[in-house]
Amino acid sequence: MIDDQPCILTYNMQVNTPSMGSIEAKYIVGTIDLSEENYSKFINDESLDFQISFETILPKFSTAKKYLVSIPKIFLNQEYIIINIFNKDSKLYKKRFGGVNKKNRKEYYIVMSTRNAMKFD
């Protein structure tokens, strides 16, 4: 979900870990699709976290927005992972999440939830 709307299309999706590097992935609403070879690499990688990077075009923005989401690998043991991304350049979310932080310049806030855990970024 991005700004309380389902993310329908993504481009240039990559899944990566420090030891594995980047592998190409595809997003189909509700699912991240990896080739069998890339899935084996990913599952056998011993990193504790992984990152997903992607681009998408949102109705209220005229250009593609890029996102990078860090996910604890233990979350993969859950029935589901819901990732909510809130753009801080929106008036509503700027007020709620404090705007763009000068320290890390991150333009979005991420809330991940599973059946048993939550992570805020």
Side-chain angles (χ1 to χ4, degrees):
M1 300 284 287
I2 300 176
D3 293 341
D4 291 323
Q5 300 294 317
C7 180
I8 306 297
L9 296 172
T10 64
Y11 309 93
N12 302 324
M13 181 172 272
Q14 300 285 315
V15 175
N16 64 64
T17 68
S19 58
M20 177 185 69
S22 288
I23 56 175
E24 187 177 316
K26 293 186 175 144
Y27 175 75
I28 302 165
V29 179
T31 305
I32 294 176
D33 188 26
L34 300 171
S35 70
E36 203 170 306
E37 178 184 336
N38 286 341
Y39 178 77
S40 293
K41 278 187 208 175
F42 177 68
I43 290 300
N44 293 322
D45 183 87
E46 294 186 16
S47 300
L48 297 177
D49 296 323
F50 66 99
Q51 294 181 325
I52 296 175
S53 61
F54 65 94
E55 297 175 43
T56 190
I57 297 175
L58 303 171
K60 61 184 171 183
F61 299 107
S62 58
T63 59
K65 301 273 289 181
K66 295 180 182 182
Y67 298 98
L68 178 65
V69 180
S70 295
I71 304 172
K73 212 165 181 186
I74 196 161
F75 274 26
L76 296 176
N77 295 329
Q78 302 297 315
E79 292 177 45
Y80 60 85
I81 303 170
I82 298 172
I83 300 172
N84 290 291
I85 299 172
F86 302 99
N87 287 295
K88 292 182 182 179
D89 51 1
S90 162
K91 285 183 182 180
L92 174 66
Y93 302 119
K94 181 178 185 176
K95 193 178 273 189
R96 188 179 295 171
F97 300 116
V100 177
N101 185 329
K102 289 181 182 180
K103 196 185 295 184
N104 65 13
R105 308 297 286 161
K106 201 165 191 181
E107 296 177 358
Y108 50 90
Y109 187 78
I110 299 171
V111 178
M112 278 183 273
S113 57
T114 69
R115 183 179 195 137
N116 301 315
M118 287 189 86
K119 180 181 182 231
F120 303 92
D121 184 27

